[in-house]
Amino acid sequence: MPLRQQVLWPDKPLAFSAVPGDDTALHFGVYHTGELICCLSAFSLAEGHWQIRKFATLPQWQRKGFGTILLTTVLKQLEQQGAQRFELDARQTACAFYEKLGFAPCSAPFEKSGLPYIRMARHLLT
C-alpha cells in the first residue's frame, strides 16, 4: 500500500490506494536489496479473465526494465493457470508501455480521479 500511494497518488492519503477486492487479489512485487521497488495486483474477474491494477514502480527504478519483468512474469504465471484475457485501466501516459507488451485499447478514453485513462486488454493467442 505505501508503494502504491507514493507512486500513484502521492497527494492522497494511504487509504485512497486501497480498492475493493484487495483481500482476495494476488499481489506481486520486485525487491532490490530488501526494498520493494515495483508492485502490481491481479484481480480475478471471471474464469480465465483477470484485471491488473495498482501497478507502480518507484520513480528512481522506472525505465530500467523492472516493471516489464514483473508484468510479463505475472502474465505468464496466470496464463499457465488458465488465464486467457487481461484488462487494465492505463493512464494515457503509459499506453506505449502496455502496447509493447501486447495490450491494445478496448474503450474510449475516460477520466478517473482527474487523470485521463483508457481501458486496455490482452488476449492469449491460442
Side-chain angles (χ1 to χ4, degrees):
M1 290 291 259
L3 178 59
R4 284 181 180 181
Q5 184 268 338
Q6 179 183 350
V7 174
L8 301 174
W9 302 107
D11 58 332
K12 305 282 186 192
L14 185 63
F16 187 83
S17 294
V19 294
D22 265 336
D23 56 333
T24 58
L26 300 177
H27 304 281
F28 301 88
V30 174
Y31 287 83
H32 181 57
T33 62
E35 177 186 23
L36 181 64
I37 63 167
C38 184
C39 66
L40 69 77
S41 299
F43 295 76
S44 178
L45 300 178
E47 184 70 31
H49 187 178
W50 289 82
Q51 182 178 14
I52 304 299
R53 299 188 70 187
K54 304 303 178 185
F55 187 12
T57 303
L58 289 173
Q60 64 270 32
W61 294 102
Q62 292 175 7
R63 294 173 183 73
K64 297 185 186 311
F66 292 102
T68 298
I69 291 168
L70 178 59
L71 184 55
T72 56
T73 300
V74 169
L75 296 177
K76 182 182 284 188
Q77 180 178 337
L78 293 174
E79 286 170 354
Q80 290 172 348
Q81 297 175 20
Q84 296 182 353
R85 179 180 170 88
F86 298 96
E87 292 183 9
L88 52 83
D89 291 343
R91 290 184 180 185
Q92 287 189 344
T93 56
C95 286
F97 169 80
Y98 293 113
E99 287 172 345
K100 287 188 316 184
L101 297 173
F103 285 84
C106 63
S107 78
F110 60 94
E111 188 176 292
K112 188 168 28 172
S113 298
L115 295 174
Y117 283 81
I118 191 161
R119 169 88 25 138
M120 300 183 82
R122 173 184 154 153
H123 298 273
L124 181 62
L125 302 175
T126 55

